[in-house]
Amino acid sequence: MLNQLLFSFVAPQICLQVLLTIVGIIVVLWGADRLTDGAVGLAERMGVPQIVIGLTIVAMGTSMPEFFVSFMSAINGTPDLAVGNVVGSNIFNALLIVGVAAMVSPIAILHDTVRKDIPFAIIASVVLMILCNDSGVNRLDALIMLMMFIFYIITTLRGAKQEKTEESSLDSSTQSGKDSKKKQVGVGKALLLTVVGLVSLILGSNVFVDNVSAIAATLGMSDALIGLTIVAMGTSLPELATSVVAARRGDSGIAIGNVIGSNVFNILMILGITGLIAPMQISGITFVDLSVMVLSMVLIWLVSFTRYRIERWEGLVLVTAFASYLSYLIVQAV
């Protein structure tokens, strides 16, 4: 009963499930606005680059839905849903979220992000593919991923000072024609906005995921397919809302850092902790799914080299690639 109270928001009837799905989306969008305001405020007040805030605080916060879903799925004996959620979320993040955000407003990319952060996300994706080669994630695999995550966080924080100067000049160039003077908020208010935004994102996405998953299960979809599509998209709603809002406001560091950090966090931290507590044997996640996850990050890396910006047409390419993968999953499921 306690588990249901804490983690389940499923309505008893399908009409109510549809209504709660819409409510969940509204709460997520509202929370994204609050989180973006708070994260940008913290970055400005603490003298920390937006990309670092995006790679750490925002990325971890917006990945909480993936953590809860994957952890509880593994504990409850549905590892395909746990791993499928992470793999699907990362594909969704890299292709659809970055694509939509770039179509809203071209995203400026820091040189260090192209040289270090995106390649590390690619490495994490390749590591997961290799570790899943034996159709499972054991405790040794999980420990390797956790150690990589600790290394990633340490190196990200160490590079914060070097990136601040570059980001300042980049932000000033992307703000040409706009009012570059943003109203700064106090540290206390920024923290409050960040917490309120994160809580809203987590609650809203949980409501969305629970009810959409219930509808999908009623339609007879498998755990792997639900994890790769509906649950992955639902748990990635915080990243989508946050990155699009940040891109629209010209906060490129938050927009791209959120996606890259979330992808690293999803693989190394979520599956690391989940695998240590409950080793997983998977069967429904294929080599194709894992390959698309790796290739999606490689595609982000490639488009980032064009003047260190992701233009609108490149965003359209990313969205098209995601639509193609989703079509493949639907065809395979029929």
Side-chain angles (χ1 to χ4, degrees):
M1 177 63 70
L2 179 60
N3 177 65
Q4 292 178 344
L5 289 174
L6 289 176
F7 297 101
S8 179
F9 298 91
V10 180
Q13 299 176 348
I14 192 168
C15 58
L16 292 177
Q17 291 170 359
V18 173
L19 178 61
L20 285 179
T21 298
I22 297 173
V23 171
I25 293 174
I26 293 173
V27 173
V28 164
L29 293 175
W30 183 86
D33 269 320
R34 307 291 84 72
L35 175 60
T36 303
D37 288 339
V40 172
L42 283 176
E44 292 173 346
R45 288 294 183 178
M46 297 171 62
V48 176
Q50 285 186 11
I51 183 67
V52 175
I53 296 293
L55 287 167
T56 54
I57 298 174
V58 176
M60 291 182 190
T62 56
S63 288
M64 282 297 104
E66 285 94 334
F67 175 76
F68 288 128
V69 169
S70 292
F71 182 77
M72 294 308 299
S73 297
I75 294 296
N76 292 330
T78 54
D80 278 347
L81 184 58
V83 179
N85 173 43
V86 167
V87 174
S89 292
N90 281 19
I91 294 171
F92 186 89
N93 289 351
L95 298 180
L96 190 64
I97 292 180
V98 175
V100 170
M103 290 172 69
V104 170
S105 179
I107 301 175
I109 311 291
L110 293 175
H111 290 198
D112 276 353
T113 300
V114 175
R115 290 195 300 263
K116 297 187 302 184
D117 299 317
I118 298 179
F120 192 89
I122 296 174
I123 292 172
S125 301
V126 172
V127 167
L128 178 60
M129 175 186 285
I130 294 173
L131 295 179
C132 287
N133 189 49
D134 58 354
S135 299
V137 177
N138 57 39
R139 286 191 169 89
L140 178 59
D141 297 337
L143 182 60
I144 291 173
M145 289 189 283
L146 276 178
M147 295 302 293
M148 287 181 63
F149 180 74
I150 293 173
F151 171 79
Y152 170 73
I153 290 297
I154 291 175
T155 54
T156 297
L157 294 178
R158 282 182 176 176
K161 292 183 178 180
Q162 288 84 348
E163 293 175 1
K164 182 61 181 176
T165 301
E166 181 185 357
E167 184 184 65
S168 298
S169 59
L170 183 150
D171 284 343
S172 61
S173 64
T174 59
Q175 289 295 329
S176 59
K178 300 180 182 179
D179 183 7
S180 60
K181 293 183 179 180
K182 297 180 180 179
K183 183 179 179 181
Q184 290 192 345
V185 298
V187 175
K189 184 177 180 180
L191 283 172
L192 179 61
L193 287 171
T194 302
V195 172
V196 169
L198 286 175
V199 171
S200 299
L201 288 170
I202 293 170
L203 289 178
S205 60
N206 281 346
V207 170
F208 175 88
V209 168
D210 286 349
N211 288 278
V212 173
S213 297
I215 296 172
T218 302
L219 298 176
M221 295 175 64
S222 67
D223 286 342
L225 184 59
I226 292 175
L228 285 167
T229 56
I230 294 174
V231 175
M233 294 179 193
T235 55
S236 290
L237 273 180
E239 286 92 339
L240 175 61
T242 302
S243 291
V244 170
V245 169
R248 179 171 56 84
R249 296 181 178 182
D251 300 314
S252 297
I254 299 294
I256 192 67
N258 172 40
V259 168
I260 298 170
S262 291
N263 279 18
V264 173
F265 184 86
N266 289 349
I267 295 174
L268 302 182
M269 186 66 173
I270 292 178
L271 292 184
I273 292 178
T274 302
L276 274 180
I277 297 175
M280 298 169 285
Q281 289 295 318
I282 57 176
S283 58
I285 310 302
T286 67
F287 178 77
V288 172
D289 300 318
L290 294 168
S291 297
V292 172
M293 177 186 64
V294 174
L295 291 175
S296 64
M297 283 308 307
V298 172
L299 188 55
I300 291 294
W301 193 44
L302 292 176
V303 298
S304 297
F305 275 108
T306 55
R307 295 185 300 172
Y308 291 94
R309 286 168 60 87
I310 302 180
E311 304 290 352
R312 286 190 171 90
W313 71 268
E314 292 170 324
L316 179 60
V317 170
L318 295 175
V319 172
T320 303
F322 176 78
S324 301
Y325 172 68
L326 186 59
S327 300
Y328 163 79
L329 290 179
I330 295 174
V331 170
Q332 291 296 109
V334 173

